[in-house]
């Protein structure tokens, strides 16, 4: 087990134990920690950012209700991901059942097939905003000093730990930590105004 | 605990999403994120940057995502895990096993001791029979090894002889009828009577 995953699992174990003892705040921490990953995972199935948020919310509620039965045989995130996948699949199943309840002719079927909820809810405005976000981030990355760009690419793209990056770049771990943070800050300084003006909430 | 300045908190967020933050700092940071929306937004933006580098813009959690789940969980009953006291059980287990073995050893010891008692049985029966000659014979048997004595004690001839006496027959019948009582009254003389009776039955 690498150092970074060890930290993460220790924290999860501690938070789960607290929730099992009745500490609901500890569950908020688990939501903060995993919200992004769960929403992405659910959206991978549902292809609708708005519905993905609702289904992800249901995932966390299911996890909370079942946390008493969690015994730590697997890592918490593995268990949570399993709940997310099952919930997303069930959601898709119930959605297709709802659709089949209506009698439709061929034209209506075509209309349903092209319906946004079956294709993803990305509106043209959102599509443009997404493109703008991607472009802004890419330009910001290109403008980073080389050591910062390499550090953040090794972390985000290759998934290396700080220790592994330190070995690769032949520098102390503290330097890696600082370079990655400064890279993120530099990119964020370009991204934040765009998100504030673009009203990007989901 | 060191009070972190905002910039330090941002750096902690950067470390946190990379799973490079130790448990104490992570819990401190999660507490801050929970109550400060701007830190939550910073966390979201850092995660967007990571996703764009990986090649997917994905979905950003809604600003009130954590809060909505938190509110719903407050209305949920608290799911408490039954206390297992794993550590205490691990200490008690060897003691319980040792105690069980001790009890088994005592019971086994008693049953071995009981094997010596047929000699007494026969002697008691012979007292009832008032046969001094047999009495001497049994006393001789007491000097023999236990197994030989036991065999002699339950030999059909001895039992048949004992049963000939009306008083012995009465006792034998009584013991057969009250076998359980005699087994539990801790009278070392009577218990073997019951056994002799049961042998007699066979």
């Amino acid at each position: 087990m690498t150092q970074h995953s060890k930290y993460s699992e220790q924290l999860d174990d501690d938070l789960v134990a607290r929730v099992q003892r009745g500490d609901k705040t500890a569950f908020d921490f688990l939501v903060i920690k995993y919200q992004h990953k769960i929403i992405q995972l659910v959206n991978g199935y549902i292809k609708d950012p708005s519905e993905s948020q609702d289904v992800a919310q249901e995932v966390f509620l299911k996890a909370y209700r079942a946390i008493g039965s969690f015994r730590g045989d697997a890592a918490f995130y593995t268990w949570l991901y399993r709940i997310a996948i099952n919930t997303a699949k069930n959601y898709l199943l119930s959605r297709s059942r709802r659709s089949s309840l209506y009698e439709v002719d061929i034209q209506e079927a075509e209309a349903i097939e092209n319906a946004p909820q079956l294709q993803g809810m990305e509106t043209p405005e959102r599509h443009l905003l997404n493109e703008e976000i991607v472009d802004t981030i890419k330009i910001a990355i290109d403008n980073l000093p080389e050591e910062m760009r390499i550090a953040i690419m090794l972390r985000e793209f290759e998934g290396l730990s700080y220790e592994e990056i330190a070995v690769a770049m032949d520098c102390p771990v503290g330097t890696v930590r600082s370079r990655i943070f400064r890279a993120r800050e530099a990119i964020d300084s370009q991204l934040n105004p765009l998100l504030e003006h673009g009203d990007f909430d989901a | 605990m060191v009070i972190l300045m905002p910039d330090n908190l941002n750096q902690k967020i950067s470390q946190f999403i990379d799973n490079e933050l130790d448990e104490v700092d992570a819990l401190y940071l999660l507490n801050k994120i929970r109550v400060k929306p701007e830190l939550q937004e910073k966390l979201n933006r850092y995660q967007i940057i990571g996703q764009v580098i990986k090649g997917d813009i994905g979905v950003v959690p809604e600003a009130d995502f954590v809060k909505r789940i938190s509110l719903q969980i407050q209305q949920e009953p608290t799911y408490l895990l039954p206390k297992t006291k794993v550590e205490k059980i691990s200490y008690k287990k060897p003691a319980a096993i040792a105690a069980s073995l001790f009890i088994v050893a005592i019971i086994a010891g008693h049953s071995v001791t009981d094997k010596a008692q047929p000699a007494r049985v026969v002697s008691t029966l012979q007292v009832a029979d008032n046969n001094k000659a047999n009495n001497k014979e049994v006393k001789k048997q007491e000097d023999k090894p236990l197994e030989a004595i036991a065999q002699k004690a339950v030999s059909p001839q001895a039992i048949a002889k004992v049963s000939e006496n009306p008083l012995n027959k009465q006792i034998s019948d009584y013991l057969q009828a009250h076998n359980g009582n005699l087994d539990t009254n801790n009278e070392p003389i009577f218990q073997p009577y019951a056994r002799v009776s049961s042998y007699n039955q066979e």
Side-chain angles (χ1 to χ4, degrees), chain A residues 34-127:
Chain A
Y34 287 108
Q35 55 174 332
H36 199 84
K37 285 173 181 163
I38 294 300
I39 291 172
Q40 307 314 314
L41 181 63
V42 168
N43 193 52
Y45 285 89
I46 293 172
K47 313 283 186 200
D48 179 337
S50 177
E51 285 187 43
S52 295
Q53 305 264 353
D54 294 339
V55 175
Q57 187 175 327
E58 195 185 330
V59 169
F60 282 110
L61 288 173
K62 277 185 181 176
Y64 178 74
R65 287 169 190 150
I67 206 158
S69 64
F70 177 74
R71 293 287 180 272
D73 299 331
F76 173 74
Y77 65 85
T78 313
W79 182 76
L80 186 64
Y81 286 8
R82 206 158 50 229
I83 293 174
I85 290 166
N86 288 338
T87 309
K89 282 180 175 175
N90 286 341
Y91 177 81
L92 286 177
L93 200 65
S94 66
R95 192 168 68 179
S96 68
R97 278 181 190 152
R98 278 202 304 272
S99 300
S100 66
L101 286 176
Y102 302 102
E103 284 187 21
V104 289
D105 59 21
I106 294 170
Q107 280 183 331
E108 283 173 330
E110 203 173 345
I112 287 171
E113 197 179 331
N114 293 327
Q117 63 264 40
L118 295 181
Q119 288 205 326
M121 289 287 283
E122 194 172 66
T123 59
E125 293 79 14
R126 182 181 297 283
H127 184 74

Side-chain angles (χ1 to χ4, degrees), chain A residues 4-5 7-8 10-11 14-15 18-22 24-25 27-29 31-33 35-37 39-40 43 49 53-54 56-57 60-61 64-65 68 71 130 133-134 137 141 152-153 155-157 161-163 177-178 180-181 184-185 187-188 191-192 195 200-202, chain B residues 7-8 10-23 26-27 30-34 40-63 65-66 68-82 84:
Chain A
H4 71 282
S5 65
Y7 279 148
S8 179
Q10 275 176 353
L11 178 63
D14 180 50
L15 292 174
R18 282 172 58 182
V19 177
Q20 288 176 334
R21 290 195 299 267
K24 291 181 176 179
T25 306
F27 196 78
D28 289 352
F29 297 159
V31 177
I32 292 169
K33 191 175 177 202
Q35 55 174 332
H36 199 84
K37 285 173 181 163
I39 291 172
Q40 307 314 314
N43 193 52
Q53 305 264 353
D54 294 339
Q57 187 175 327
F60 282 110
L61 288 173
Y64 178 74
R65 287 169 190 150
R71 293 287 180 272
N130 283 353
I133 288 168
V134 172
I137 291 173
I141 291 170
I152 197 162
M153 291 301 282
R155 171 62 215 146
E156 295 286 15
F157 197 72
S161 68
Y162 286 6
E163 208 172 299
R177 184 187 306 132
S178 169
I180 290 174
F181 167 61
R184 282 185 173 130
E185 281 292 279
I187 301 166
D188 186 42
L191 177 65
N192 191 24
L195 294 180
F200 188 91
D201 59 356
Chain B
D7 202 43
N8 282 340
N10 290 343
Q11 184 162 359
K12 295 292 174 193
I13 292 173
S14 175
Q15 285 177 251
F16 178 70
I17 61 171
D18 293 335
N19 290 324
E20 296 277 357
L21 203 57
D22 66 55
E23 197 178 342
L27 283 172
L30 284 167
N31 262 310
K32 292 282 179 191
I33 292 174
R34 188 168 168 268
Q40 174 71 63
E41 285 164 16
K42 176 70 87 174
L43 177 70
N44 286 345
R45 290 199 301 275
Y46 279 1
Q47 283 174 324
I48 292 173
I49 293 166
Q51 286 212 274
V52 169
I53 293 173
K54 289 182 189 97
D56 178 25
I57 179 68
V59 184
V60 183
E62 287 166 0
F65 185 80
V66 178
R68 272 190 288 145
I69 293 173
S70 184
L71 285 173
Q72 277 196 272
I73 282 172
Q74 291 307 319
Q75 294 163 2
E76 292 275 329
T78 302
Y79 298 96
L80 291 174
L81 187 69
T84 51

Side-chain angles (χ1 to χ4, degrees), chain B residues 123-185:
Chain B
S123 64
T124 311
L125 291 172
Q126 282 163 345
V127 168
D129 195 28
N130 243 351
N131 189 334
K132 287 181 182 176
N134 278 350
N135 222 350
K136 282 176 188 172
E137 190 183 330
V138 171
K139 278 179 183 173
K140 282 178 190 172
Q141 287 172 355
E142 283 178 344
D143 298 332
K144 292 178 183 174
L146 282 177
E147 284 182 18
I149 292 167
Q151 279 175 356
K152 179 71 181 173
V154 296
S155 68
Q157 294 89 346
I159 293 164
K161 202 169 186 180
V162 165
S163 300
E164 282 169 11
N165 190 311
L167 178 62
N168 283 349
K169 195 168 184 327
Q170 268 187 318
I171 292 169
S172 178
D173 289 344
Y174 177 84
L175 290 176
Q176 281 174 39
H178 300 85
N179 198 15
N181 289 342
L182 289 164
D183 274 343
T184 57
N185 68 1

